[in-house]
Amino acid sequence: MSTASTPGVVRDAVDGPVKTGPSGSARTASGTRTAYPLYVAGKLGGAVVSLLAVLVTSFFLFRIIPGDPVKAMTHGVPTSAGQLATLRKQFGLDLPLWQQFTDYCGRALTGDLGTSYQFRAPVGELIAEKLPATLLLTGVAVVIYSALGLWLGTRSAWRNGGLSDRLNTGVALTLWSVPSFWLGLLLIIVFSVGIGPVPGMFPTGGMESGDSSGFGYVLDVAHHMVLPVTTLVAVGYAQTLLVMRSSLLDEMGSDYLTTARAKGLRDDLVRRRHAVPNALLPTVTMVFINLGHVAAGSILVETVFSWPGLGGLFYQALSVPDLPLVQGLFVVFAGAMILMNLLADLLYPLLDPRVGR
C-alpha cells in the first residue's frame, strides 16, 4: 500500500508526522537561540547559590578554629577580666552566634567585610592593599605555566611514546608530586644561600630591597620574583601538561582526524586545526581555575618567600585567629574561583557548539 507524500512532511510509522523542511529548520534555530540564554541563566543561578554557600561556610568554618582572638591579641599584656569583656563586646563576640551570623551576612552582601581585629582597619582596605603584589606574582606565574603546559602537553601527546614524551611526562609527574613549599625552601637553600659551587644569586624573600626607584625598582622586583615564580611555574606547568596530554590522547583515535589526513592535510595542520581545539575543554576549565588562583595567590609560597601579598596576610590572620580578616579573604578567594568557573562555563559553547543546547 502506498502512502501519499506531502512536501515538508515525513510519515513515521510509530510517532506520526514529523515536520521537516523550512519550518523544521526554523524551529531548530529558535530552539538554539532559546537554549543558550537558559544555559547562561542556569550557570548564573548556580554561581549565586555557590557564593551564598561560601558566605555560610566562611562564617562557621573559622568558628571551630581553637583559640580565643581576644586572648591572642592581648597575649603578654596584663589584662583584667573586665577589659577582656569590653574587647569582646567591642568586636561583637559577646552576641549570640545566630546574631553574629545575620550581622555578618548583612554586611557582606553590601560589600562590608568587617574590621580586622589585629590591624584595626577595614578588611576591604587591607585586601586592596595586598592584592597588587599577589596579582603580580601569581599572574605572571599562571601565564607562563599555562602557555608552557599547553605547548609541551600537545607535543607530548602528538609524539606519544617517544623520548620527548617520556621525558616530559616523567618530569611533570615528579614536579606535580612535590609540595610547593618544599620546592621553595630547596630553591632558597641552593640559589639564595648558596651551596657548594653554586653562589647565592637571589634574595631569600620580600618583594623589594627598598633602595631603588624607576627602572631600577622594576629590575629589583623582578629579581625578587625569580624564585617564587619558578616555584609556582614548576608545579603549575606539570598539572597543565598532564591534563592537556591526556585530553589530546583521547582525541587522537577519532575518525575526523583520519578524514582530515585523508584529505591531504599536513600533520601539523591536523593537530592545530582539528585535534587541539577539540581537546581544549578540560584544559580550559583548569586554566580558568588557575586564573581564579591569581586572586588567592599561593599561601605557602608567599609565606616561604615572605611575599607581601594576600597569602601572607591570610597566614597572619589565621594565626590569631583574626576572624573578620580570615572570613573576608576566604570569600575573596572562593569568589574568584566561582567567577572563573562561571567564565569557563560561558566560554564552553564557543569552543564546542554542542554545549548549552
Side-chain angles (χ1 to χ4, degrees), residues 60-94:
F60 290 103
L61 177 64
F62 299 108
R63 290 300 191 283
I64 64 176
I65 297 176
D68 186 343
V70 173
K71 289 184 177 180
M73 286 186 291
T74 58
H75 180 71
V77 179
T79 311
S80 65
Q83 291 173 321
L84 292 175
T86 301
L87 287 174
R88 288 193 177 91
K89 184 176 181 180
Q90 178 182 348
F91 295 139
L93 297 174
D94 61 327

Side-chain angles (χ1 to χ4, degrees), residues 8-12 15-20:
V9 177
V10 176
R11 296 286 179 177
D12 185 87
D15 299 326
V18 180
K19 293 185 177 180
T20 60

Side-chain angles (χ1 to χ4, degrees), residues 55 104-114 122-125 127 331:
L55 288 178
Y104 163 71
C105 289
R107 291 194 306 267
L109 291 175
T110 61
D112 182 7
L113 298 176
V123 170
E125 292 183 4
I127 293 176
V331 169

Side-chain angles (χ1 to χ4, degrees), residues 32-48:
T32 303
R33 287 195 299 268
T34 57
Y36 185 69
L38 290 176
Y39 172 80
V40 172
K43 294 301 179 181
L44 289 173
V48 171

Side-chain angles (χ1 to χ4, degrees), residues 232-312:
L232 293 172
V233 167
V235 178
Y237 109 90
Q239 181 185 12
T240 309
L241 182 151
L242 293 172
V243 172
M244 185 62 194
R245 178 182 180 274
S246 176
S247 180
L248 187 55
L249 284 175
D250 291 339
E251 296 290 332
M252 286 179 61
S254 301
D255 293 336
Y256 69 89
L257 295 183
T258 303
T259 303
R261 291 190 180 96
K263 290 180 178 180
L265 292 180
R266 297 196 312 272
D267 196 59
D268 183 58
L269 290 177
V270 173
R271 183 184 73 242
R272 288 190 289 109
R273 293 184 180 179
H274 297 277
V276 171
N278 285 283
L280 276 178
L281 283 182
T283 312
V284 164
T285 301
M286 190 190 57
V287 169
F288 273 87
I289 289 176
N290 291 337
L291 289 176
H293 287 157
V294 170
S298 178
I299 297 173
L300 294 176
V301 172
E302 287 192 8
T303 302
V304 167
F305 289 97
S306 302
W307 190 263
L310 295 182

Side-chain angles (χ1 to χ4, degrees), residues 43-357:
K43 294 301 179 181
L44 289 173
V48 171
V49 171
S50 298
L51 188 57
L52 293 176
V54 165
L55 288 178
V56 176
T57 304
S58 66
F59 179 83
F60 290 103
L61 177 64
F62 299 108
R63 290 300 191 283
I64 64 176
I65 297 176
D68 186 343
V70 173
K71 289 184 177 180
M73 286 186 291
T74 58
H75 180 71
V77 179
T79 311
S80 65
Q83 291 173 321
L84 292 175
T86 301
L87 287 174
R88 288 193 177 91
K89 184 176 181 180
Q90 178 182 348
F91 295 139
L93 297 174
D94 61 327
L95 299 175
L97 190 61
W98 66 267
Q99 189 172 350
Q100 293 183 42
F101 175 68
T102 55
D103 291 346
Y104 163 71
C105 289
R107 291 194 306 267
L109 291 175
T110 61
D112 182 7
L113 298 176
T115 302
S116 168
Y117 294 163
Q118 56 181 327
F119 297 105
R120 305 296 178 90
V123 170
E125 292 183 4
L126 293 172
I127 293 176
E129 179 184 348
K130 299 292 185 179
L131 183 60
T134 291
L135 292 180
L136 176 64
L137 177 66
T138 55
V140 170
V142 166
V143 170
I144 293 175
Y145 71 63
S146 295
L148 187 62
L150 288 172
W151 181 64
L152 290 178
T154 300
R155 292 189 169 274
S156 292
W158 207 249
R159 297 180 174 88
N160 182 30
L163 178 61
S164 62
D165 175 43
R166 294 197 300 270
L167 180 62
N168 286 330
T169 304
V171 173
L173 286 171
T174 302
L175 291 175
W176 198 8
S177 63
V178 172
S180 58
F181 72 90
W182 183 85
L183 181 59
L185 290 173
L186 188 62
L187 291 178
I188 289 176
I189 292 172
V190 175
F191 296 105
S192 292
V193 178
I195 182 172
V198 181
M201 297 178 287
F202 300 101
T204 57
M207 182 177 175
E208 57 178 298
S209 300
D211 55 357
S212 58
S213 60
F215 186 67
Y217 173 77
V218 175
L219 292 178
D220 185 35
V221 172
H223 190 218
H224 283 76
M225 287 177 60
V226 171
L227 293 186
V229 166
T230 301
T231 303
L232 293 172
V233 167
V235 178
Y237 109 90
Q239 181 185 12
T240 309
L241 182 151
L242 293 172
V243 172
M244 185 62 194
R245 178 182 180 274
S246 176
S247 180
L248 187 55
L249 284 175
D250 291 339
E251 296 290 332
M252 286 179 61
S254 301
D255 293 336
Y256 69 89
L257 295 183
T258 303
T259 303
R261 291 190 180 96
K263 290 180 178 180
L265 292 180
R266 297 196 312 272
D267 196 59
D268 183 58
L269 290 177
V270 173
R271 183 184 73 242
R272 288 190 289 109
R273 293 184 180 179
H274 297 277
V276 171
N278 285 283
L280 276 178
L281 283 182
T283 312
V284 164
T285 301
M286 190 190 57
V287 169
F288 273 87
I289 289 176
N290 291 337
L291 289 176
H293 287 157
V294 170
S298 178
I299 297 173
L300 294 176
V301 172
E302 287 192 8
T303 302
V304 167
F305 289 97
S306 302
W307 190 263
L310 295 182
L313 185 64
F314 186 81
Y315 177 79
Q316 287 180 294
L318 200 60
S319 62
V320 173
D322 189 338
L323 295 178
L325 186 52
V326 170
Q327 291 169 177
L329 287 168
F330 184 83
V331 169
V332 170
F333 295 165
M337 296 296 296
I338 292 171
L339 177 61
M340 290 299 108
N341 274 316
L342 175 62
L343 292 178
D345 288 335
L346 298 182
L347 182 63
Y348 277 173
L350 301 179
L351 297 174
D352 187 348
R354 295 170 297 178
V355 179
R357 286 186 178 180

